[in-house]
Amino acid sequence: QLQLVESGGGLVQPGGSLRLSCAASEFTLKYYAIGWFRQAPGKEREGVSCISSSGGSTNYPDSVKGRFTISRDNAKNTVYLQMDSLKPEDTAVYYCYVRYIGTPYWGQGTQVTVSS
């Protein structure tokens, strides 16, 4: 069945950078738009970024615009989220997401902690 696996999370100091990866198993990502979401303790899950199937269109909320960059390498069946200038408020579990035939699919999440 379709599976998404995130990786690349960890502990980083404010102002640092991380690159998250979302890889797919038994599924070809290149035909679908992919989203990144995050959920911080005590808060609702929120969208962070999304990218079109071709990679030609991306968007970001104001909270991360200019600091986060989403990209994809369809040959590797992988989507990335480059996070720069990280802030403590970016601390959350980050998830990748795809909607396939009207059904949402989520990865297991990867923890990002920004702290000094």
Side-chain angles (χ1 to χ4, degrees):
Q1 62 181 29
L2 190 160
Q3 286 193 324
L4 302 173
V5 180
E6 304 95 334
S7 62
L11 175 64
V12 65
Q13 294 183 343
S17 298
L18 287 172
R19 188 178 75 161
L20 307 183
S21 298
C22 174
S25 298
E26 300 182 1
F27 183 77
T28 302
L29 287 179
K30 68 179 182 179
Y31 301 110
Y32 301 93
I34 305 295
W36 282 97
F37 289 73
R38 67 184 181 187
Q39 188 164 20
K43 297 184 178 180
E44 296 182 350
R45 188 171 297 185
E46 63 176 344
V48 174
S49 184
C50 62
I51 187 168
S52 63
S53 59
S54 68
S57 180
T58 61
N59 54 62
Y60 310 86
D62 289 341
S63 59
V64 306
K65 190 173 297 183
R67 300 188 298 116
F68 290 11
T69 304
I70 190 171
S71 63
R72 66 193 303 160
D73 187 340
N74 286 335
K76 296 181 178 179
N77 215 29
T78 302
V79 175
Y80 304 97
L81 183 67
Q82 178 69 41
M83 305 186 295
D84 299 318
S85 301
L86 284 163
K87 304 175 181 179
E89 51 263 44
D90 295 319
T91 296
V93 178
Y94 285 71
Y95 302 87
C96 59
Y97 163 89
V98 63
R99 186 178 180 183
Y100 175 68
I101 313 180
T103 300
Y105 290 86
W106 298 89
Q108 84 288 351
T110 185
Q111 176 71 49
V112 172
T113 302
V114 185
S115 177
S116 60

